[in-house]
Amino acid sequence: MSDISSSQEAFRPRVLLAEDDPALRLLYGIWLSASGYEVDAAADGAEALNAVAAHGLPDAAVLDVQMPRIDGLAVCRALRARSVRLPIVIASSFDDIESAAFEAGADVVLTKTGERRELCAGLDAARESRRALASSLVATAS
């Protein structure tokens, strides 16, 4: 097998996962990793932003809303300010967070249900939404 094939097969999109609940952070990390993602896990919003400062923007982000130090909506706004192309999923146990999450720049808002397929489908939908946006930006610029 050539080096090019090996490097293409080895690529795993990097997801920033910010979740203050250790059990959910571990569970979501396992699910995302098993779905082909490299996961940068953070216990709160400050850790998430520090990870971005240290490693650059991820390929996508999954953010809890209510976290210590810096909440997920503030992290969402900070990430969106840095990139219009970054897919962002907000996962929250709050029912009434959708409007605020979309205003902050989220692509997809999920209610925490403990369902792997819902989390992965939400992340896939956010990534597809941003790919479509990037394509339309390229087409408009031409």
Side-chain angles (χ1 to χ4, degrees):
M1 188 179 305
S2 73
D3 290 336
I4 293 171
S5 294
S6 297
S7 65
Q8 288 173 342
E9 289 174 18
F11 176 74
R12 292 169 50 98
R14 188 168 53 91
V15 174
L16 174 64
L17 170 62
E19 170 60 63
D20 64 322
D21 181 311
L24 282 177
R25 190 170 56 249
L26 177 63
L27 182 63
Y28 289 176
I30 290 168
W31 288 348
L32 292 169
S33 183
S35 296
Y37 295 99
E38 177 185 329
V39 179
D40 283 347
D44 60 45
E47 276 188 26
L49 293 176
N50 287 339
V52 170
H55 307 291
L57 282 171
D59 297 305
V62 176
L63 309 171
D64 181 20
V65 173
Q66 189 172 5
M67 296 185 288
R69 301 198 290 168
I70 301 174
D71 70 46
L73 296 179
V75 174
C76 183
R77 284 189 290 275
L79 294 174
R80 183 58 66 224
R82 290 194 55 188
S83 173
V84 296
R85 295 179 181 198
L86 178 68
I88 301 173
V89 174
I90 294 285
S92 177
S93 54
F94 297 112
D95 292 331
D96 59 349
I97 200 67
E98 250 185 38
S99 176
F102 288 131
E103 285 176 20
D107 296 297
V108 173
V109 179
L110 302 175
T111 302
K112 290 182 185 178
T113 62
E115 292 282 332
R116 175 183 176 176
R117 88 177 146 257
E118 185 178 357
L119 177 65
C120 294
L123 185 53
D124 290 344
R127 293 182 72 209
E128 185 56 39
S129 169
R130 289 296 148 174
R131 271 195 290 274
L133 175 65
S135 294
S136 70
L137 291 175
V138 169
T140 303
S142 300

